[in-house]
Amino acid sequence: MLRSLVGSEMCIRDRHHNHAITSGTMPAPLEGKVPDLHCPLCRAPTLPFDILGCAIDEASFYSDRANLIQQHRSRFAPRAEELVAEAYLQAAAVLDRALGAGRNEECEADVFYENVMFKRAEIAAAMGEYAVGVDLLAESTATFQEGGKNAYQMSDQNGRANYYGHFRLHAHCLLGAGRAAEAHEVLTAGVKVVQQDMGTHAKLDRDFYADLTWSLYSLGQYEQAIEVGQGAVIEANRTYAQCHKYVALSQQALGMIGEAVTTMRQAVCYETPWDAANLDEARGLLCELLEAAEAEEAPREDLAMEILRQIKEIDDRGSCVILSNTAGTKFQAFDFYEHSVDAQGVPLIRVQYGVSRNMAQAEVFLRGEEIECLVCSDELADDIERQVLAREE
């Protein structure tokens, strides 16, 4: 049997050694069960470790090292990326050996086997090898379905949490592999499990809704992505890594570039102050959004000037203008009444200007005049209002 029995904890009485009961003194299983024995020195219960569980612990040592290097990468420059990759490769090698050795009926029945698969998929996702994670987790999550060897766990809160972690990571790997529709199906299929124990596993909940936001963004459902991302992820914990990212990208996709910049400014302020890698990524996205906002601003100013020229042409025909936005929530009334030039020869135009949320009030403002109407986008209407008020004497 591929199993090694050792003390599960360090002995309380002798802090530099394991319990007195070790693999050399533990009696053989009786009727397939290991007897529940206590350490003769400290009387603590000694539970056997499975060799697959030991592989998880060993791999965790390397993955924890990779995480620490990422969080403090400036201390390891210029070799930070190399050291992170090396640590993940070591973790993957440990788990691959365990999975390879465990491909037999006895080990596949081991309670740790799916946990090894989960840990290997977690390492694969960290390395960007999402396809590896997808294959492993498709196999492991199937064991929790009706008739599977882990189906019994679904009646227990801790067992459901185990399944929760598996299917959530499966969806995450599908997203990383560019299979957003499949990921969304996996997540929505697991909603019942999530809601059954809502609030019991805070980190799992955050991971679930963060990936749900990612899937909604990837599927072009931007309004829903913003709603879920803001309500279930950012408000729950604004320091959570990448919790602002897909909200900002969804806002950008909807043309809400100003809101997207604001969201990523908040990300830079609040997200993972301990994690340099995530902060660098947040700053990078903020810079991209600021550049996009700047590029969008110039042509919008040109469009605003074009609208003002059209208003001037209407005035030349002897009419006044009401400019409304497409939403029908802002009505700007223009009545030009004086044309002159300044000392430098620059044309000056004086205008009576009023703005209202009501069309009838704008018409009253221009009563007795011929009125022509123009319509422009909400953003342009706001720009024109700012430009007019900025020139107010």
Side-chain angles (χ1 to χ4, degrees), residues 207-234:
D207 289 340
F208 173 86
Y209 284 109
D211 284 337
L212 182 58
T213 302
W214 183 4
S215 72
L216 290 167
Y217 165 76
S218 300
L219 294 172
Q221 299 177 29
Y222 304 123
E223 293 89 349
Q224 288 178 270
I226 293 169
E227 181 181 354
V228 173
Q230 288 180 332
V233 184
I234 295 176

Side-chain angles (χ1 to χ4, degrees), residues 73-345:
R73 61 174 57 195
S74 61
R75 301 181 186 179
F76 299 91
R79 296 190 59 220
E81 297 300 329
E82 177 188 345
L83 292 171
V84 168
E86 181 182 310
Y88 279 137
L89 285 171
Q90 289 173 307
V94 169
L95 295 168
D96 286 340
R97 285 196 298 270
L99 288 172
R103 285 293 181 183
N104 59 67
E105 183 177 343
E106 184 177 324
C107 258
E108 288 187 5
D110 194 293
V111 294
F112 280 103
Y113 193 72
E114 280 71 35
N115 291 347
V116 176
M117 298 174 75
F118 177 87
K119 186 64 179 178
R120 181 62 181 91
E122 196 173 52
I123 298 298
M127 297 172 67
E129 298 176 350
Y130 294 106
V132 174
V134 168
D135 293 340
L136 286 167
L137 289 162
E139 183 178 345
S140 71
T141 52
T143 66
F144 292 88
Q145 305 304 319
E146 187 174 353
K149 74 173 189 179
N150 290 314
Y152 71 94
Q153 294 193 34
M154 299 304 290
S155 61
D156 175 75
Q157 187 180 85
N158 292 330
R160 287 193 297 273
N162 192 16
Y163 172 59
Y164 190 175
H166 278 257
F167 83 74
R168 200 289 307 173
L169 185 58
H170 185 203
H172 182 81
C173 290
L174 284 166
L175 284 165
R179 297 160 64 177
E182 294 172 70
H184 190 68
E185 288 179 12
V186 169
L187 292 169
T188 52
V191 165
K192 184 177 180 181
V193 175
V194 177
Q195 293 177 340
Q196 190 169 356
D197 299 315
M198 178 65 71
T200 307
H201 313 287
K203 185 180 184 305
L204 282 173
D205 290 342
R206 289 197 304 271
D207 289 340
F208 173 86
Y209 284 109
D211 284 337
L212 182 58
T213 302
W214 183 4
S215 72
L216 290 167
Y217 165 76
S218 300
L219 294 172
Q221 299 177 29
Y222 304 123
E223 293 89 349
Q224 288 178 270
I226 293 169
E227 181 181 354
V228 173
Q230 288 180 332
V233 184
I234 295 176
E235 288 187 14
N237 186 351
R238 63 184 180 183
T239 66
Y240 183 68
Q242 294 195 341
C243 65
H244 296 79
K245 177 179 179 179
Y246 291 104
V247 172
L249 290 174
S250 296
Q251 289 169 330
Q252 182 187 24
L254 291 173
M256 303 160 61
I257 192 68
E259 289 85 346
V261 168
T262 299
T263 297
M264 285 315 298
R265 287 190 194 278
Q266 293 170 347
V268 171
C269 289
Y270 300 119
E271 271 189 28
T272 59
W274 59 87
D275 189 341
N278 185 68
L279 281 174
D280 286 345
E281 184 174 342
R283 291 189 187 103
L285 180 54
L286 175 59
C287 288
E288 291 177 15
L289 291 171
L290 286 170
E291 290 174 2
E294 186 177 343
E296 187 178 290
E297 188 68 27
R300 209 162 71 184
E301 286 184 4
D302 292 341
L303 287 171
M305 292 306 298
E306 176 59 31
I307 293 291
L308 289 172
R309 279 193 290 270
Q310 291 182 35
I311 293 173
K312 176 62 173 60
E313 290 174 2
I314 292 173
D315 173 71
D316 290 342
R317 296 198 296 267
S319 298
C320 296
V321 178
I322 292 179
L323 176 68
S324 66
N325 62 356
T326 51
T329 58
K330 180 178 291 186
F331 300 89
Q332 302 177 70
F334 296 84
D335 181 11
F336 295 89
Y337 66 90
E338 184 178 330
H339 300 266
S340 60
V341 294
D342 63 11
Q344 286 75 38

